[in-house]
Amino acid sequence: MVHSSRSILPKWYNEVKFLESEAISATSDTTHSFIFGRMYKTPSNRTYRDGNHLRINFCHLEFPYDCNGCCLAEPPDNIAQTVSTMYKASWQNQPPEDGGVKEGSVLARCVVDYTVQRDSKLVSAIVEQFDSAGYKCERGLEDIAMCLKVTEDAVRSARSRISSVCPSVAIRRITDYSVLDPLAECNAKAFGYDAMGDTAWLRTKLARQISQPKVFSVYAAMDNTPGSGSKVLAFAVIYRPAEKVPDLAFVQVVGTAPKHRRRGLASAVLQHALEQLPAGTLVYLEAFERHAIALYKNIGFKEVGKLYSTECMLLK
């Protein structure tokens, strides 16, 4: 069982957040712990404003309540200042030639998760701290948590659909760096990172995932047409910390190059990845885009809950 000490939280929430946190930590340069959370410093991107630079995950996710509705922990009064201070300290000694960036060129980012929060006043008080500290706060974010249990029947069905949908595509697991560049290019185009400038962080992140085959499985749909070279059309990354929780896995990312969408490639590569997992594995993912949710439901994922949060970002 994951985090038995947090049994007051919903099982799906416990497992999703544990997997998400462990996956971030596995590709992080450093992980700092403090009383209310963990900070991950990950490969930096000078232009794209997301958790690839810095992420604060609150350990207790977030200030949970016991069965009687009593808050078990309350945030410190200076939580926003704590986040800002740790952010600055994490970058001050890292030279640019080693992958670091100048202070102020990336964002300190804190996700305030209130999925299990019953006291809206407490949530407002936390966010107001970040507002007062100069953070830009995007409220009301909502993600869908989904889950699928791998079964033999599902595997056979997936194998049949893959062979019929993609006759000119070879789906394989990436175990070396031979296609790292086209894989990073496909990832960048799939999510629009290429239009934002710096994508070196993305290549670094993928390289770290490929280098840890015991926990990360990276799959790519390759163009099998003669003369096409090593062209990556779609990809998926699965995180499965088998030594810690052998019956759980997390879909970290799925994407398709824009020119090759609507061919069933994302579905095919994800189903191929699921086919490699042991029967009985519970596979989680998070989604917010309507078409992505529909794709996952078509594969067999079911909604298990919703994740509510406010994202606070600081650029100075």
Side-chain angles (χ1 to χ4, degrees), residues 298-312:
N298 187 51
I299 291 175
F301 282 87
K302 298 184 183 301
E303 181 179 331
V304 292
K306 293 183 179 180
L307 299 158
Y308 303 99
S309 64
T310 291
E311 185 176 272
C312 307

Side-chain angles (χ1 to χ4, degrees), residues 161-162 164-170 221-225 231-234 256-269 295:
R161 279 179 285 183
I162 290 168
S164 62
V165 171
C166 308
S168 64
V169 173
M222 312 287 295
D223 190 340
N224 213 22
T225 306
K231 191 173 183 179
V232 176
L233 310 179
T256 305
K259 291 183 179 180
H260 299 281
R261 288 173 180 160
R262 301 187 181 280
R263 295 175 55 189
L265 295 174
S267 177
V269 73
L295 181 151

Side-chain angles (χ1 to χ4, degrees), residues 15-51:
E15 294 177 338
V16 165
K17 287 300 182 176
F18 171 77
L19 290 166
E20 180 185 56
S21 179
E22 289 292 304
I24 294 172
S25 181
T27 55
S28 174
D29 291 325
T30 57
T31 303
H32 300 292
S33 295
F34 59 104
I35 188 168
F36 284 99
R38 297 171 73 189
M39 181 182 76
Y40 306 100
K41 184 174 70 175
T42 59
S44 64
N45 170 2
R46 290 177 172 83
T47 55
Y48 188 62
R49 305 194 301 179
D50 70 356

Side-chain angles (χ1 to χ4, degrees), residues 118-160:
R118 300 178 186 175
D119 186 351
S120 59
K121 291 183 179 180
L122 181 56
V123 173
S124 298
I126 298 168
V127 176
E128 285 171 6
Q129 287 189 41
F130 286 98
D131 267 329
S132 299
Y135 282 73
K136 177 183 178 181
C137 299
E138 185 176 358
R139 295 166 170 81
L141 302 178
E142 178 180 314
D143 288 317
I144 306 298
M146 308 182 77
C147 183
L148 174 146
K149 186 173 183 178
V150 176
T151 65
E152 293 294 342
D153 288 343
V155 167
R156 283 193 292 269
S157 175
R159 188 180 297 120
S160 173

Side-chain angles (χ1 to χ4, degrees), residues 73-107:
E74 294 188 1
D77 292 335
N78 61 344
I79 184 66
Q81 185 59 46
T82 300
V83 171
S84 301
T85 300
M86 293 193 70
Y87 161 70
K88 292 178 181 178
S90 71
W91 291 106
Q92 64 182 1
N93 295 320
Q94 188 174 7
E97 60 268 23
D98 289 340
V101 296
K102 293 181 179 180
E103 181 182 342
S105 60
V106 296
L107 290 176

